[in-house]
């Protein structure tokens, strides 16, 4: 059709000229910014996440694991291989190991040649030796065993060790297995052997409890598909499926939090992008009132005007997306290569999702946020050519707010798939907008009072703020939203990184000792002090059987629960370590009841129970617990429930009793201490006088944890910097566009002979006031958003950040004021006639 | 309705606007005719309603009551889309503030009405028109690179490119100095004569008004006086 061709050509010409003349810079920049920041953020976080989940996959030695009480059909494994997954088998069972006429219960792990799929095995040529990575596995007829087993059985490398019916040669000490787990006390020393040797031992017969574990690694989607295939065939009684992302996996929580942070940051980037596009589209629309009026006057039908401008927005959007894509990819590549030596992000892997998201965001933002300004633009009457003051005649602005809010919410929801996060951010945003409207009204009232009298810079500033109240409220809102989002990202990062670091401060204990007898205790303490090793606390321990709750013998299915849980961190065997103390340990918080404390009580002794055990075993406040210790029976009443931070490297206990209940038992002691890595060679000498004391080395594990925390923190840092840059650019765009609106007024003031200084001061003051108010409101909204996010999403302790209540208004005033001053200075450097000319 | 030779015919048109102080009638009932080819000046004090009247005559605005025919088409009963088409077909415009599209070149500005009308030879016509107003060498310049007088010449070229039957001008020389104003006036009347266009212009300039065959004097929203100049008498006689 001719009309179409004409609209296309006209629109293309307008686009080309305007782009060349720099008239589209602001809206183009907004789109470029949104696409670039969303792309770089999500691409970067995708890469980081895969690096991190690779790292945490090491804790499972795989991406996913299928645990089973019986061997699973070969066809299942064949199916996995068909789907391109790597598969490995590991059988695990408890069995006695014999040597030198001594024996010890061991944790036997028989693995095939593919083990481990993730992470590495570390071994040494001496017990507790320096770890060396190895790609090998024990040869047929050989075993590698944990350091403690050497100690207990009194053997050395090359000696024989019997497991069941078969004798093995001990060829290495196992220092670290990727899937070694965290159960320090229930954990028996490891015996690693070749899967092919297992049948000859005859230990897997009926009555033995063997875990048949199948490890899988591969693409997330392939793994998910495979699980979908597997799921209908699984029997809940026999099988269970584990992934590194499970919250209960040792690092699950940190990694999950980091992922949520990236998600949050990307969401905020989307919102920032939307805000800047909304601001720019508004400006774009206003600048095109005249051309629209002219075209209409010259006889262009409404449909043609619509087509011309929709096409133009399309051109702008496409250009913005292309440029934004290139810029975003570049930024991401730069950052990734900058931190490549710290975080092993794979630069060659290509992720499509971030590109789709970025393009989608650019399109949706540009279309949705220019919709209302465009509708306004289309409604400009032709009569404007005669009556210059005629603007667009469009309905209420609240429609715009509702549409914008809805669009942002939908974008966030579509992107995150997380209704809670999206709802929290939207609700806080709405509240912020509502209170800002109120503040604006207040400002107008104040301004009316203050604006009277002689025209100084203050009066001029106030007068302007109140006169352009509606425009200012939009501006205030966009400034405040921007500042709020920046605050959320900043404070969130501070809190999160701090909490991570707190988990593993310098000097975190990296060795545990158990089985210290009462007689050994003073000698050992002195010996350690002489060697310059501090030991903070020895915890008395008695092994007891947890027998009954309220005189009701514990049902047998509890033991089943126990077994599946013994695979994880909090394994509670039927045997539990009981300790007693009047003092609450560090990082323990009473969540119910009161800590029994120093004061002794009459009647039943009291006991404090760990929260998750209480939950799992159905223990309630006031319950009477029965423990069998040897042939004795101890009863205690539950007087408090504790929350325990399991991520600290200190001995933790499910049950802490009141001391008087345990006075008759002679305990052994447990403790932990810190030894610098360079002192590691002294360890053997340190332990030599106490051969019966068992030593656990968790140094490797701590370093593993710490390196992940550091990598995640660094990644979070970079994300923060990215979002800060995006936010600053948005602020610049906002100031620029609001400056534009002031141009006319400045020109008039200038023409009327107002002094440059007066104008400048009043404009700067105006921006300072707006920046300050926006900062203050943002700090308040930030607090609410953070509280909701931290308690609802991140499972963190929420706190109030008073310092930001002061900082945000100050920085807001400063930054917005400086930006305002800069662009005002630029404007005033034009002479009056040039100003007037630019206005037309 | 019988077809007449009137290019414009108004019957008791009024304009009422709603303001914060209530209804305000800015045009009292006005009736007059303009013959094809006639040149008419609308004069009067500032605020007397000249631009308002012009807007109604040109179909940029809707009358509150009364009838208004433009080349025998009932403007008063048309909607904005129909009026737009009519404007595109029959009407040319010149404004005090030139009203050029800033991001189109001089040539493209001139082409615009022809393109909107769907003429296939828009560029050719525009080049000719540019030639006629003596700006062939400035075709690729943007409006803000041209002087006020040059911009108004571009506007005139744009107004004539579709050979409109009637041309409306609101203070075409209002923003120009005397020398440039004269140039624009001459151009306007020359082209008008060449093409036989009906010309209706609003002006404060009594010399300019005097060059028109007829003057309509507005006073506080009332059309005071319709005088037929000697010129018109001669032409009708001749
Ligand atoms: N939409 C409107 N609302 C309120 N008042 C209006 C409106 N349109 C026109 N007026 C008023 O009607 C009167 C006539 O306006 P108009 O622009 O037609 O005057 P004019 O004769 O062209 O004046 P000038 O010579 O200054 O251009 C003015 O007082 C103007 O303020
Ligand atoms: Mg006027």
């Amino acid at each position: 059709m001719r009309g179409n061709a004409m609209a296309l050509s006209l629109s293309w010409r307008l686009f080309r000229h305007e782009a060349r003349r720099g008239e589209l810079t602001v809206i183009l920049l907004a789109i470029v910014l949104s696409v670039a920041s969303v792309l770089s953020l999500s691409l970067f976080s995708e890469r980081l996440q895969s690096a991190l989940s690779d790292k945490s996959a090491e804790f499972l030695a795989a991406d996913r694991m299928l645990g089973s009480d019986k061997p699973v059909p070969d066809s299942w494994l064949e199916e996995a291989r068909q789907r391109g997954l790597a598969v490995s088998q590991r059988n695990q069972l408890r069995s006695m190991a014999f040597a030198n006429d001594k024996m010890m219960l061991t944790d036997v792990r028989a693995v095939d040649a593919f083990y481990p799929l993730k992470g590495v095995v570390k071994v040494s040529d001496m017990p507790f030796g320096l770890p060396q990575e190895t790609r090998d596995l024990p040869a047929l007829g050989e075993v590698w065993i944990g350091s403690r087993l050497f100690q207990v059985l009194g053997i050395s490398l090359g000696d024989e060790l019997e497991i069941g019916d078969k004798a093995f040669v001990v060829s290495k000490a196992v220092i670290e297995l990727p899937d070694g787990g965290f159960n320090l006390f229930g954990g028996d020393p490891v015996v690693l052997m070749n899967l092919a040797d297992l049948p000859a031992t005859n230990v897997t017969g009926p009555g033995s409890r063997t875990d048949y574990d199948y490890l899988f690694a591969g693409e997330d989607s392939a793994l998910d598909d495979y699980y979908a295939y597997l799921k209908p065939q699984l029997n809940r009684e026999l099988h269970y499926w584990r992934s590194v992302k499970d919250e209960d996996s040792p690092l699950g929580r940190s990694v999950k939090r980091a992922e949520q942070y990236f998600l949050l940051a990307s969401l905020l980037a989307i919102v920032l992008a939307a805000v800047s596009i909304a601001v720019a589209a508004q400006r774009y629309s206003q600048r095109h009132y005249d051309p629209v009026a002219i075209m209409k006057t010259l006889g262009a039908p409404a449909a043609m005007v619509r087509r011309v401008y929709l096409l133009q927005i399309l051109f702008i959007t496409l250009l913005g997306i292309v440029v934004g894509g290139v810029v975003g990819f570049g930024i991401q590549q730069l950052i990734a290569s900058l931190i490549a030596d710290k975080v092993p992000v794979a630069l060659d892997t290509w992720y499509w999702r971030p590109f789709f998201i970025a393009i989608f965001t650019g399109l949706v933002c540009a279309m949705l946020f220019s919709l209302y300004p465009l509708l306004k633009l289309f409604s400009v009457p032709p009569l404007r050519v005669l009556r210059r003051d005629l603007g667009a005649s469009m309905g209420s602005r609240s429609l715009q707010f509702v549409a914008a809010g809805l669009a942002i919410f939908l974008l966030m929801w579509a992107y995150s798939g997380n209704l809670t996060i999206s709802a929290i951010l939207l609700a806080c945003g709405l509240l912020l907008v509502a209170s800002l409207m109120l503040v604006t009204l207040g400002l107008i009232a104040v301004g009316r009072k203050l604006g009277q009298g002689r025209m100084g810079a203050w009066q001029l500033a106030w007068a302007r703020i109140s006169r352009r109240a509606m425009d200012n409220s939009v501006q205030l809102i966009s400034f405040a939203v921007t500042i709020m989002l920046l605050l959320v990202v900043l404070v969130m990062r501070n809190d999160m990184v701090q909490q991570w670091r707190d988990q593993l401060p310098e000097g975190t204990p990296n060795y545990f000792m158990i089985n210290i007898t009462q007689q050994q205790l003073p000698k050992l303490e002195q010996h350690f002090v002489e060697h310059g090793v501090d030991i903070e606390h020895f915890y008395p321990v008695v092994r007891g059987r947890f027998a009954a709750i309220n005189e009701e013998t514990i049902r047998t299915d509890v033991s089943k629960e126990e077994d599946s849980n013994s695979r994880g961190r909090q394994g509670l065997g039927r045997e539990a370590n009981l300790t007693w103390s009047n003092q609450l340990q560090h990082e323990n918080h009473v969540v119910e009841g009161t800590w029994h404390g120093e004061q002794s009580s009459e009647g039943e002794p009291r006991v404090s129970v760990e929260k998750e055990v209480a939950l799992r075993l159905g223990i309630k406040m006031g319950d009477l617990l029965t423990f069998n210790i040897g042939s004795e029976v101890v009863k205690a009443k539950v007087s408090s429930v504790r929350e325990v931070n399991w991520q600290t490297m200190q001995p933790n206990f499910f049950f802490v009793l009141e001391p008087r209940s345990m006075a008759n038992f002679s305990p052994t002691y447990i403790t932990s201490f810190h030894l610098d890595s360079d002192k590691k060679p002294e360890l053997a000498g340190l332990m030599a006088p106490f051969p019966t004391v068992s030593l656990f080395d968790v140094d490797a594990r701590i370093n593993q944890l710490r390196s992940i925390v550091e990598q995640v923190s660094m990644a979070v840092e970079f994300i923060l910097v990215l979002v800060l840059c995006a936010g600053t650019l948005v602020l610049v765009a906002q100031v620029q566009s609001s400056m534009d609106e002031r141009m006319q007024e400045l020109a008039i003031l200038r023409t009327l002979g107002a002094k440059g200084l007066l104008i400048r001061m009043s404009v700067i003051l105006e921006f300072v006031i707006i920046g300050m108010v926006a900062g203050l409101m943002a700090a308040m909204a930030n607090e609410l958003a953070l509280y909701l996010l931290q308690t609802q999403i991140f499972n963190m302790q929420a706190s109030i950040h008073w310092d930001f209540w002061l900082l945000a208004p100050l920085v807001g005033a400063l930054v917005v004021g400086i930006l305002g001053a800069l662009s005002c200075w630029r404007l005033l450097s034009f002479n009056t006639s040039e100003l007037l000319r630019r206005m037309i | 309705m019988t077809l007449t030779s009137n290019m414009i015919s108004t019957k008791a048109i009024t304009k009422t606007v709603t303001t914060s102080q209530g209804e305000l009638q800015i045009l009292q009932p006005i009736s007059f005719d303009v013959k094809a080819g006639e040149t008419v000046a609308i004069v009067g004090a500032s605020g007397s309603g000249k631009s308002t009247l012009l807007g109604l005559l040109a179909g940029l605005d809707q009358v509150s009551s009364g009838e208004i025919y433009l080349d025998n088409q009932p403007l008063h009963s048309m909607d904005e889309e129909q009026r737009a088409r009519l404007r595109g077909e029959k009407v040319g415009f010149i404004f005090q503030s030139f009203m050029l599209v800033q991001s189109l070149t001089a040539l493209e500005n001139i082409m615009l009405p022809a393109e909107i009308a769907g003429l296939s030879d828009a560029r050719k016509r525009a080049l000719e028109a540019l030639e006629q107003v003596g700006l062939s060498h400035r075709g690729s310049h943007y409006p803000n690179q041209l002087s006020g007088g040059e911009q108004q010449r571009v506007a005139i070229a744009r107004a004539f490119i579709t050979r409109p039957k009637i041309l409306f001008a609101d203070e075409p020389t209002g923003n120009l100095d005397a020398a440039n104003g004269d140039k624009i006036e001459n151009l306007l009347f020359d082209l008008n004569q060449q093409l036989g266009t009906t010309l209706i212009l609003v002006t404060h300039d009594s010399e300019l008004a005097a060059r028109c065959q007829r003057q309509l004097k507005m006073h506080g929203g009332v059309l005071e006086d319709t005088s037929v100049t000697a010129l018109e008498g001669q032409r009708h006689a001749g």
Side-chain angles (χ1 to χ4, degrees), chain B residues 78-164:
Chain B
M78 292 182 172
D79 62 11
E80 166 55 25
E81 281 298 286
Q82 293 167 319
R83 279 186 273 131
R85 178 169 325 135
L86 191 70
R87 288 197 298 269
E89 283 168 7
K90 314 206 163 179
V91 181
F93 289 96
I94 295 169
F95 305 101
Q96 177 173 8
S97 50
F98 321 136
M99 284 290 148
L100 299 175
V101 178
Q102 293 296 309
S103 43
L104 291 179
T105 61
L107 184 70
E108 286 167 339
N109 264 291
I110 298 171
M111 280 163 65
L112 195 55
E115 283 183 306
I116 289 172
L119 303 179
S120 52
D121 57 348
R123 175 168 290 268
K124 195 172 137 263
R125 284 181 183 227
L127 285 168
E128 283 168 17
L130 205 55
E131 174 95 57
Q132 271 180 312
V133 297
L135 287 174
S136 324
H137 55 298
R138 312 291 302 265
S140 61
H141 288 202
Y142 291 100
N144 68 346
Q145 296 168 314
L146 302 173
S147 75
E150 288 164 340
Q151 288 188 54
Q152 198 61 305
R153 274 145 72 191
V154 171
I156 289 175
R158 179 180 68 182
F160 281 104
I161 188 171
T162 51
R163 310 277 148 80

Side-chain angles (χ1 to χ4, degrees), chain A residues 387, chain B residues 17 19 24 26 45-52 171 204:
Chain A
R387 293 186 50 82
Chain B
V17 294
T19 66
L24 179 68
I26 50 181
S46 187
S48 57
K50 305 184 295 291
S51 297
T52 309
E171 309 211 17
H204 278 131

Side-chain angles (χ1 to χ4, degrees), chain A residues 2 6 10 13-14 17-18 21 23 294-302 304 382-383 385-386 388 837, chain B residues 51 55 60-61 80-81 84 87-88 93 95 99-100 102-104 108 112-113 115-116 118 142 144 158 170:
Chain A
R2 264 217 66 86
M6 140 76 207
L10 180 59
R13 259 180 292 142
L14 278 170
H17 294 326
E18 293 189 2
R21 286 153 52 90
E23 278 167 31
I294 294 172
M295 285 169 65
K296 286 187 170 177
T297 298
L298 297 180
M304 181 185 280
L383 194 59
V385 293
L386 286 177
R388 309 287 298 118
R837 202 165 233 239
Chain B
S51 297
L60 291 171
D61 201 2
E80 166 55 25
E81 281 298 286
R87 288 197 298 269
F93 289 96
F95 305 101
M99 284 290 148
L100 299 175
Q102 293 296 309
S103 43
L104 291 179
E108 286 167 339
L112 195 55
E115 283 183 306
I116 289 172
Y142 291 100
N144 68 346
R158 179 180 68 182
D170 192 8

Side-chain angles (χ1 to χ4, degrees), chain A residues 744-758:
Chain A
Q744 182 174 4
E745 189 171 338
L746 292 186
I748 292 168
L749 281 175
R750 212 42 198 292
T751 322
L752 295 179
K755 281 205 202 71
L757 186 69
L758 174 74

Side-chain angles (χ1 to χ4, degrees), chain B residues 16-224:
Chain B
T16 309
V17 294
T18 323
T19 66
S20 51
Q21 278 99 36
E23 301 258 295
L24 179 68
Q25 184 154 23
I26 50 181
L27 285 187
Q28 304 301 325
I30 288 176
S31 307
F32 67 92
D33 296 329
V34 175
K35 298 208 164 48
E38 215 175 347
T39 56
V40 177
I42 301 174
V43 294
S46 187
S48 57
K50 305 184 295 291
S51 297
T52 309
L53 180 59
L54 191 80
L56 292 176
L57 296 179
L60 291 171
D61 201 2
Q62 188 106 47
V63 292
S64 300
S65 69
E67 294 179 1
I68 181 165
Y69 296 92
L70 197 132
D71 199 17
N72 293 314
Q73 309 267 344
L75 259 185
H76 53 275
S77 60
M78 292 182 172
D79 62 11
E80 166 55 25
E81 281 298 286
Q82 293 167 319
R83 279 186 273 131
R85 178 169 325 135
L86 191 70
R87 288 197 298 269
E89 283 168 7
K90 314 206 163 179
V91 181
F93 289 96
I94 295 169
F95 305 101
Q96 177 173 8
S97 50
F98 321 136
M99 284 290 148
L100 299 175
V101 178
Q102 293 296 309
S103 43
L104 291 179
T105 61
L107 184 70
E108 286 167 339
N109 264 291
I110 298 171
M111 280 163 65
L112 195 55
E115 283 183 306
I116 289 172
L119 303 179
S120 52
D121 57 348
R123 175 168 290 268
K124 195 172 137 263
R125 284 181 183 227
L127 285 168
E128 283 168 17
L130 205 55
E131 174 95 57
Q132 271 180 312
V133 297
L135 287 174
S136 324
H137 55 298
R138 312 291 302 265
S140 61
H141 288 202
Y142 291 100
N144 68 346
Q145 296 168 314
L146 302 173
S147 75
E150 288 164 340
Q151 288 188 54
Q152 198 61 305
R153 274 145 72 191
V154 171
I156 289 175
R158 179 180 68 182
F160 281 104
I161 188 171
T162 51
R163 310 277 148 80
K165 289 191 162 173
I166 182 162
L167 187 78
F168 291 96
D170 192 8
E171 309 211 17
T173 57
N175 268 350
L176 304 174
D177 59 33
N180 270 307
D182 285 346
K183 238 192 218 160
I184 294 297
E185 269 177 48
N186 293 333
L187 198 56
L188 202 53
F189 281 98
D190 287 351
L191 280 170
N192 177 56
Q193 233 139 47
Q194 277 177 33
L195 303 172
T197 317
T198 309
L199 174 65
I200 297 191
L201 57 83
V202 165
T203 186
H204 278 131
D205 179 351
S206 49
E207 269 182 50
L208 178 55
R211 287 181 75 168
C212 294
Q213 296 161 346
R214 209 167 124 195
Q215 293 189 11
L216 298 177
K217 201 164 164 63
M218 291 293 295
H219 185 76
V222 181
L223 189 61
E224 261 197 346

Side-chain angles (χ1 to χ4, degrees), chain A residues 423-694:
Chain A
I424 287 177
L425 289 178
L426 182 75
C428 294
L430 285 184
L431 212 70
L432 180 64
V433 169
S435 28
L436 281 170
M437 294 299 250
L438 281 179
V439 168
T440 316
L441 291 180
L443 276 185
I444 299 170
V446 174
R448 211 166 275 149
K449 285 235 164 62
L450 283 180
Q452 287 158 5
R454 218 180 63 83
M455 266 303 184
W458 266 101
Q459 277 77 14
L460 215 54
W462 275 113
R464 235 192 332 253
I465 286 183
S466 55
R467 186 147 27 80
R468 309 179 344 110
M470 215 41 203
D471 288 339
N472 272 324
S473 76
V474 172
Q475 221 171 77
L476 200 60
I477 287 167
S478 61
F479 279 131
V481 167
T482 309
I483 296 176
M484 173 189 117
L485 297 184
L486 294 184
L487 283 180
V488 167
V489 179
L490 179 72
V491 179
M492 197 68 190
R493 167 244 166 224
N494 287 350
D495 285 5
M496 201 162 55
V497 169
Q498 193 53 47
Q499 287 193 10
W500 279 333
R501 300 236 159 103
D502 285 352
Q503 279 169 13
L504 298 168
E506 278 306 310
T508 297
N510 49 2
Y511 293 92
F512 284 80
M513 285 187 289
I514 67 171
N515 276 338
I516 306 165
T517 61
Q518 197 117 40
Q519 295 92 320
Q520 281 174 323
L521 187 61
K523 244 176 76 191
L524 185 135
E525 206 169 354
Q526 194 192 349
H527 180 73
F528 270 65
V529 170
E530 280 165 9
H531 284 76
V533 180
D534 272 347
I535 296 186
E536 231 176 77
H537 196 77
F538 291 88
Y539 300 87
V541 171
V542 164
R543 298 284 282 176
R545 271 172 75 99
F546 181 48
I549 303 174
N550 293 334
E551 311 289 353
E552 201 176 307
T553 310
I554 296 171
R555 294 155 303 168
T556 42
D557 63 327
V558 169
S559 69
K560 191 161 180 73
E561 273 266 301
E562 281 169 26
D563 283 336
S564 64
N565 270 294
S566 69
R567 289 159 178 147
R569 149 170 64 94
Q570 303 151 19
L572 172 65
R574 212 171 302 195
E575 297 250 309
N577 286 306
L578 305 178
T579 190
W580 53 93
S581 173
N582 285 325
Q583 250 163 12
L584 189 61
Q585 258 178 276
H586 295 308
E587 303 278 342
N588 279 218
H589 303 280
V590 173
V591 291
E592 215 182 322
T594 47
W595 176 248
H596 48 260
E598 296 282 352
Q599 266 165 2
S600 66
S601 59
E602 299 295 310
E604 303 288 353
R606 291 166 296 175
V607 61
S608 173
V609 186
E610 193 265 345
K611 188 175 115 186
E612 285 174 40
V613 162
L615 205 68
R616 201 161 67 217
L617 302 183
I619 300 174
K620 308 243 162 24
M621 284 287 297
D623 281 354
L624 189 67
L625 307 185
T626 308
F627 300 96
N628 294 339
I629 304 172
S631 54
E632 309 273 324
V633 171
V634 170
K635 295 188 177 181
K637 207 177 190 108
V638 178
S639 63
S640 65
V641 176
R642 281 167 303 130
E643 194 165 49
V644 172
N645 182 357
W646 289 99
Q647 314 225 3
T648 60
M649 292 288 140
Q650 63 175 9
N652 277 310
F653 302 90
F654 292 132
F655 301 102
V656 181
L657 290 113
E658 198 174 353
R660 69 182 164 100
S661 61
M662 305 295 281
N664 299 331
F665 301 99
S666 64
T668 59
Y669 288 85
I670 287 181
T671 192
S672 60
F673 61 92
H674 174 83
L675 192 73
D676 287 339
S677 314
D678 54 329
K679 283 197 178 168
K680 208 166 178 132
E682 295 172 23
L683 201 59
L686 203 58
M687 296 305 295
F690 312 100
T692 56
V693 172
S694 306

